[in-house]
């Protein structure tokens, strides 16, 4: 088991790769843990001040790690297969939780990371996972979202996006093209993992901006249609793909309220939704 530390040099091994991670707040044996899974171009550093905010808002411990190819983690093998989110959300995440000694947790993912959290909850029987916080999740492809990724590829090649991302990724081309080329692969058009929702048996909070260029509210509606467990949503107005950065006060409050009720649920029946 690796140490619970905020040392930027900390590394753990999962799926044969050395991955950077950082921890904030109480250790797993002292409080529940929020496990943060980043977006398709994210990393530990790109969560910015979110971990510290969540420790303060919830009293939980918080841990974030960078998947292979991102941040200071080892590069990923490219091209990524179109099933990469399922692999990350089952094989890799399971090893990360074990390495960190997680005891009770809420999986909190953004974009690709939300999809991976959703896949884990619907594919792996793990009593440590008590809830899901999904920010801008993807369960199936949408033409508008794919076009936004194509457009982002243009910005990477012709504008200063590569320079900006290079501040956060040791191998920026590995990070960017691994994400871009998987999503724009023609075989990805039929990708759909919505059936994992059918197997959730834990409460879920979904947070989405109503002006997200990468996914529409159809993704949230898919959850509402299929879920059997307690479910609530926060749809934020005039908000794009990153509610936790664009609407931090509202997002933190929703997550804190959700986590508080999860803790009460461990002790007594409470109403969700």
């Amino acid at each position: 088991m690796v140490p619970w530390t905020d040392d930027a040099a900390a590394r753990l091994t999962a799926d044969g790769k050395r991955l950077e991670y950082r921890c904030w707040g109480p250790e797993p044996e002292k409080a529940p843990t929020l496990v943060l899974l980043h977006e398709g171009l994210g990393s530990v550093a790109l969560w910015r001040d979110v971990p510290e905010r969540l420790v303060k808002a919830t009293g939980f411990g918080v841990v974030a790690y960078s998947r292979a190819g991102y941040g200071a983690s080892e590069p990923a093998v490219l091209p990524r297969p179109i099933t990469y989110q399922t692999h990350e959300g089952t094989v890799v995440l399971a090893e990360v939780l074990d390495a960190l000694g997680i005891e009770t947790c809420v999986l909190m993912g953004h974009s690709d990371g939300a999809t991976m959290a959703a896949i884990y909850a619907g594919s792996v029987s793990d009593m440590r996972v008590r809830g899901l916080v999904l920010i801008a999740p993807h369960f199936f492809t949408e033409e508008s979202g794919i076009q936004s990724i194509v457009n982002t590829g243009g910005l990477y090649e012709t504008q200063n996006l590569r320079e900006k991302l290079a501040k956060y990724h040791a191998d920026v081309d590995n990070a960017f093209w691994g994400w871009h080329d998987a999503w724009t692969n023609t075989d990805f058009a039929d990708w759909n993992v919505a059936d994992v929702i059918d197997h959730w048996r834990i409460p879920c909070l979904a947070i989405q901006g109503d002006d997200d260029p990468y996914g529409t509210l159809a993704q949230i509606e898919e959850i509402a249609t299929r879920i059997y467990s307690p479910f609530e949503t926060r749809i934020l107005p005039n908000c794009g793909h990153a509610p936790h950065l664009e609407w931090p006060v509202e997002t933190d409050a929703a997550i804190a309220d959700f986590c508080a009720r999860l803790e009460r649920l461990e002790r007594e029946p409470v109403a969700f939704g």
Side-chain angles (χ1 to χ4, degrees):
M1 191 168 67
V2 297
W4 186 262
T5 177
D6 65 355
D7 184 350
R11 301 290 185 271
L12 59 81
T13 300
D15 197 32
K17 295 286 187 179
R18 295 288 287 169
L19 308 180
E20 71 165 333
Y21 75 95
R22 287 188 66 187
C23 309
W24 297 262
E27 300 175 6
E29 65 270 21
K30 297 179 181 177
T33 306
L34 273 164
V35 180
L36 307 190
L37 288 83
H38 63 75
E39 64 175 310
L41 291 177
S43 67
V44 169
L46 279 166
W47 282 109
R48 305 185 190 278
D49 65 341
V50 170
E52 293 96 332
R53 286 173 14 212
L54 291 175
V55 171
K56 183 177 180 180
T58 67
F60 284 21
V62 176
V63 62
Y65 70 99
S66 297
R67 297 188 296 274
Y70 297 100
S73 294
E74 290 185 352
V77 176
L78 301 184
R80 293 185 183 275
I82 63 172
T83 57
Y84 77 95
Q85 292 178 86
T86 296
H87 181 78
E88 291 281 352
T90 53
V91 175
V92 182
L93 179 55
E95 293 186 24
V96 169
L97 297 178
D98 289 344
L100 290 163
I102 298 300
E103 296 187 6
T104 301
C105 70
V106 173
L107 300 180
M108 175 178 152
H110 174 220
S111 193
D112 274 20
T115 303
M116 293 167 192
I119 289 171
Y120 190 87
S123 306
V124 179
S125 179
D126 189 342
M127 293 298 292
R128 295 174 296 183
V129 180
R130 303 301 178 88
L132 293 171
V133 176
L134 306 181
I135 302 175
H138 306 291
F139 297 101
F140 49 85
T141 55
E142 297 179 274
E143 288 187 16
S144 58
I146 298 299
Q147 186 58 52
S148 292
I149 293 171
V150 171
N151 294 342
T152 303
L155 294 176
Y156 187 81
E157 292 185 305
T158 64
Q159 307 276 329
N160 63 347
L161 180 58
R162 186 182 189 280
E163 180 182 349
K164 289 181 178 179
L165 289 174
K167 299 174 183 178
Y168 301 100
H169 301 291
D171 188 337
V172 66
D173 289 330
N174 190 266
F176 185 84
W177 295 118
W179 166 76
H180 174 279
D181 291 353
W183 275 93
T184 57
N185 185 323
T186 55
D187 292 339
F188 206 73
D190 296 326
W191 172 84
N192 189 313
V193 295
D195 61 343
V196 300
I197 301 168
D198 302 339
H199 303 283
W200 296 348
R201 295 298 182 267
I202 54 177
C204 173
L205 166 65
I207 304 173
Q208 180 90 13
D210 69 356
D211 194 26
D212 186 339
Y214 294 103
T216 71
L217 295 179
Q219 305 289 338
I220 306 304
E221 292 165 3
E222 188 76 14
I223 303 176
T225 299
R226 306 182 73 132
I227 194 169
Y228 289 94
S229 51
F231 176 55
E232 59 190 85
T233 63
R234 293 292 185 276
I235 307 302
L236 297 171
N238 304 312
C239 179
H241 192 55
H244 53 297
L245 302 178
E246 298 173 55
W247 288 81
V249 174
E250 292 79 4
T251 300
D252 290 359
I255 295 170
D257 182 61
F258 179 77
C259 290
R261 281 181 291 132
L262 278 179
E263 286 201 281
R264 286 171 52 206
L265 190 63
E266 298 288 324
R267 300 188 296 269
E268 60 185 80
V270 295
F272 270 83

